[in-house]
Amino acid sequence: MLKVGELAPEIDKLATDGQRFVLSRQGGLCTVVFFFPKAFTPGCTVETRQFRDNHVELALAGASIVGISTDDHRTQCRFAESHKVPFPMIADDDHSVCRAYGVLWPLIGVARRVTYVVDPGMRVAAVFHHELQATKHRDDVLSFIDERFRAARPPAVPTAPRSAGALSLGPPSSVRLPPDVAPQPSPASALPGAASPGAPPDSDAPAPPGAPAPPGRPS
């Protein structure tokens, strides 16, 4: 099997969607390449269905996926159709891809249950191998893609909480109005009896205890 950091061999084969799958053209965050022994067997069916069910989640993270087994193309197409697989599946009936990736069982001539995560530079970023626990591959891949996706995202800029519909414009002193726009009165100044900014105090209003009386008003 290949190891993390090694260069992944090119894959260029006809897939079940009728298009040629070329690994080096995938781009995105990474490509998940999962090998499985035989179509329509219980473990391979479970594993393929799990990747199918999480295909949208992986795609949103920028990851593409391809499934490969040593079945012939016709069998692989029937397998993909019967389970409504939305990603390409490859029939490696000549064993060329399985040999290149070191996953071919030498005596029985089928692929081992190995999953590789390949980065856009064609380097192996992760390797998962569970022959009996088919469900572990999906779990390991989701965990790895989640960490890789978070690491690739720019850090979030913290923002102060504000009421719905309000725009954060900073402190009032930092907001400058154009010269021809007059400032609007605040809600408090619009109340009846409220003094406008800069108006003289009400001469009839009682002065606070101990405060000097305004000019012209008896103390």
Side-chain angles (χ1 to χ4, degrees), residues 109-156:
V110 297
R112 300 183 184 186
R113 197 183 306 280
V114 180
T115 298
Y116 293 100
V117 180
V118 181
D119 65 24
M122 295 289 285
R123 295 284 175 181
V124 177
V127 183
F128 307 114
H129 180 206
H130 305 287
E131 288 295 343
L132 301 180
Q133 295 176 299
T135 59
K136 286 285 292 178
H137 284 253
R138 188 274 312 267
D139 297 341
D140 289 343
V141 165
L142 289 180
S143 178
F144 181 82
I145 297 298
D146 180 67
E147 292 179 3
R148 198 172 182 87
F149 176 72
R150 291 175 184 274
R153 294 177 63 186

Side-chain angles (χ1 to χ4, degrees), residues 35-153:
F35 291 88
F36 60 97
K38 296 290 291 182
F40 296 108
T41 56
C44 300
T45 298
V46 169
E47 183 178 17
T48 302
R49 283 178 174 176
Q50 285 188 322
F51 280 123
R52 175 200 65 187
D53 295 342
N54 291 104
H55 173 253
V56 173
E57 183 178 352
L58 292 169
L60 288 175
S64 55
I65 184 170
V66 61
I68 304 175
S69 73
T70 52
D71 296 287
D72 59 71
H73 184 71
R74 183 177 179 181
T75 300
Q76 197 76 291
C77 287
R78 289 193 298 109
F79 182 59
E81 174 62 26
S82 63
H83 298 295
K84 302 294 185 274
V85 178
F87 50 81
M89 305 279 282
I90 292 176
D92 186 37
D93 49 353
D94 63 357
H95 302 175
S96 59
V97 178
C98 291
R99 285 198 183 95
Y101 278 78
V103 300
L104 187 70
W105 285 106
L107 297 179
I108 56 180
V110 297
R112 300 183 184 186
R113 197 183 306 280
V114 180
T115 298
Y116 293 100
V117 180
V118 181
D119 65 24
M122 295 289 285
R123 295 284 175 181
V124 177
V127 183
F128 307 114
H129 180 206
H130 305 287
E131 288 295 343
L132 301 180
Q133 295 176 299
T135 59
K136 286 285 292 178
H137 284 253
R138 188 274 312 267
D139 297 341
D140 289 343
V141 165
L142 289 180
S143 178
F144 181 82
I145 297 298
D146 180 67
E147 292 179 3
R148 198 172 182 87
F149 176 72
R150 291 175 184 274
R153 294 177 63 186

Side-chain angles (χ1 to χ4, degrees), residues 195-201:
S196 61

